[in-house]
Amino acid sequence: MLHSAMVLWIGLAIETHGAAADEPAAGASAALRLEDGDRVILVGATFLERDRHHGRIEEALRARFPGTKLSFRDLAWPGDTVAVQMRPLDFGSFESHLRAQRPTVVIVSYGMTEAFGGEKARDRFLADYRKLLDVIDKTEARVILIGPHRHEALGLPLPDPRRHNENLRLYSKAVAQLAVERERPFVDLFEQFELKETPPIAYPRTENGIHLSDFGYVEAAGVIAREVGLLAPTWRIDLDASGKVIDAAGVAVKEIERADRSLRFTAIASALPPDMPADAPPSGEWKRPEHVLSIAGLPPGDYALRIGGDEAVVASAARWQEGMSITRGPDFAQAARLRDAIRRKDRLFFDRWRAHNGEYIYGRRAKAGGNNSGNPAFTAEFARLDRLLEEADRQLDELSRPEPHQYELVPR
């Protein structure tokens, strides 16, 4: 398939940071590597813009590079197309704002709206997209192209998406064509992100067929990470009752102690799990973020697992031998704090970049003269916002780094 052949032409080194789980897309020979100082910019329309309310794409990529000094800025704008980007008076050009952010990686996604134009507008879409990429290429940033996802069928009174999906398939292939031309990686959300085209749908990924829910963004972000060759975070430990480590994936195990029928050890995850979406399907309908711990050879009876002193799960010796799923604990709490911090940072940047009182900052009322001229305090206020954003980036770098936690299995 074209998308897998093009997953990452960019000459970037493989980077797994100790995480091992789902294989990257077939044919991927290298993975996106983010390093200290990288700034990732999102450019596109509503799909990328709405993620500032969810923080899922940044969450997914940061999880693959825990502790790395990164910054993410969302320059996407709702309703944009590759040809038409309406902005307030004197707001500034797309190129000027992009250059001001000093990008090293640019993630670009268009096509959902343009696909309503059908096959007759496809060539114009390609021509306009090439012009936009010419502007982005001036920054010399690494570029990743994301195709549009499907239109989910939620049934009446919402429209039948079949015609739109026929066109979205064409436009997804058009973006894939651009990826080949530009020798850029391509993320094929149309084929790789499961959105059903026939109702009924028990657990939708969208709110209205097009705009993703939080659950939808979790899944889409996972696809994006996988399609650029990044392994999914995982955590699994297999022990025996003596404390011997049989196997461990995505986690380091140390300081193992055994006393009577109890077992104590310290574990440090290679990467945080994704924060659980509130609108996720019930257990059994969707593979939830989890840690899996198995302990073989325990004497019969029930055992409780405590993490940092708090009881997380209780099960019989037989079930511990099979492997128990852990879906709460300090790693999951840290993941929730990380995502909350991402969303707060995104709101700060929104206020910095798209201030609601822009008429007084760069518009007509910012001009000298008259009682409505711009506020002289804006310069200092913007400088303070910039400092807050830098502080937020540093906090996110630290929050993305998993911490060591003590695990203790004790008889009940």
Side-chain angles (χ1 to χ4, degrees):
M1 293 179 67
L2 181 60
H3 80 277
S4 56
M6 276 302 303
V7 164
L8 269 183
W9 172 87
I10 299 177
L12 305 174
I14 293 175
E15 180 60 67
T16 64
H17 277 265
D22 300 343
E23 291 299 323
S29 59
L32 170 66
R33 179 170 182 166
L34 298 178
E35 299 177 333
D36 285 347
D38 268 330
R39 171 161 288 194
V40 182
I41 304 299
L42 306 184
V43 170
T46 309
F47 165 63
L48 290 182
E49 195 275 342
R50 281 172 61 91
D51 188 49
R52 69 183 178 84
H53 299 293
H54 303 276
R56 295 301 187 172
I57 295 173
E58 179 173 351
E59 176 192 34
L61 295 180
R62 277 191 179 274
R64 273 65 171 185
F65 302 95
T68 305
K69 295 177 174 59
L70 304 172
S71 58
F72 288 72
R73 300 291 185 263
D74 194 339
L75 292 186
W77 197 289
D80 270 6
T81 68
V82 290
V84 179
Q85 298 165 6
M86 304 291 288
R87 297 293 185 268
L89 178 69
D90 296 331
F91 180 80
S93 69
F94 165 75
E95 182 174 0
S96 68
H97 282 282
L98 180 64
R99 284 187 174 278
Q101 293 306 319
R102 305 182 308 281
T104 61
V105 177
V106 179
I107 297 174
V108 190
S109 180
Y110 290 98
M112 177 63 72
T113 298
E114 292 91 336
F116 284 108
E119 186 173 5
K120 66 179 183 297
R122 180 179 178 273
D123 288 346
R124 181 73 260 169
F125 170 72
L126 281 168
D128 291 332
Y129 213 144
R130 290 185 184 102
K131 293 177 183 176
L132 183 74
L133 291 176
D134 287 342
V135 173
I136 295 173
D137 284 345
K138 292 179 184 178
T139 68
E140 299 184 352
R142 294 162 281 169
V143 178
I144 297 169
L145 301 181
I146 300 179
H149 61 73
R150 292 174 189 257
H151 185 153
E152 190 176 44
L154 298 184
L156 294 175
L158 294 170
D160 185 329
R162 282 177 290 186
R163 173 62 64 84
H164 192 203
N165 278 326
E166 290 174 4
N167 290 329
L168 283 167
R169 181 178 283 106
L170 289 175
Y171 279 69
S172 179
K173 290 180 178 178
V175 181
Q177 177 183 329
L178 284 176
V180 171
E181 288 177 9
R182 300 278 173 149
E183 298 183 320
R184 298 290 188 246
F186 171 57
V187 176
D188 189 351
L189 282 184
F190 188 86
E191 295 295 346
Q192 301 303 315
F193 178 33
E194 183 182 356
L195 291 175
K196 295 183 179 178
E197 297 185 47
T198 55
I201 299 173
Y203 306 107
R205 271 72 168 168
T206 67
E207 297 173 356
N208 55 15
I210 290 178
H211 298 145
L212 299 184
S213 65
D214 190 40
F215 172 46
Y217 272 108
V218 169
E219 296 226 305
V223 171
I224 291 168
R226 187 188 71 223
E227 290 291 283
V228 295
L230 298 176
L231 300 173
T234 190
W235 191 107
R236 184 180 181 99
I237 298 173
D238 298 324
L239 303 174
D240 65 18
S242 71
K244 178 182 177 182
V245 179
I246 300 169
D247 194 18
V251 58
V253 185
K254 60 182 182 179
E255 299 171 358
I256 303 174
E257 300 176 9
R258 183 178 179 276
D260 298 327
R261 296 170 65 195
S262 299
L263 196 61
R264 184 183 296 112
F265 60 91
T266 298
I268 308 173
S270 298
L272 293 175
D275 181 36
M276 171 66 77
D279 60 339
S283 180
E285 300 291 339
W286 179 65
K287 184 174 174 55
R288 296 177 168 231
E290 63 176 356
H291 294 345
V292 178
L293 173 63
S294 70
I295 304 175
L298 290 169
D302 290 340
Y303 294 81
L305 178 69
R306 298 172 184 162
I307 309 174
D310 295 327
E311 188 169 281
V313 63
V314 178
S316 66
R319 293 196 64 195
W320 279 114
Q321 180 154 330
E322 293 173 359
M324 288 300 299
S325 174
I326 304 165
T327 57
R328 61 190 180 94
D331 284 340
F332 298 91
Q334 185 177 345
R337 295 196 303 273
L338 172 66
R339 192 169 74 91
D340 283 345
I342 289 171
R343 291 187 293 172
R344 287 196 301 272
K345 179 267 301 176
D346 284 345
R347 178 53 193 263
L348 273 175
F349 181 67
F350 181 91
D351 291 340
R352 173 65 177 88
W353 183 52
R354 290 169 58 184
H356 292 296
N357 56 343
E359 180 73 352
Y360 290 88
I361 299 168
Y362 45 75
R364 286 165 296 188
R365 294 187 176 183
K367 305 294 188 296
N371 294 328
N372 289 326
S373 60
N375 188 331
F378 284 152
T379 300
E381 290 172 2
F382 278 136
R384 182 172 182 271
L385 277 174
D386 289 336
R387 289 194 298 271
L388 289 173
L389 281 163
E390 291 174 2
E391 291 172 9
D393 288 335
R394 288 192 292 269
Q395 180 190 23
L396 289 168
D397 297 339
E398 290 302 314
L399 272 175
S400 70
R401 190 195 309 274
E403 299 176 354
H405 300 289
Q406 187 177 81
Y407 289 71
E408 186 177 18
L409 191 76
V410 297
R412 287 291 296 267

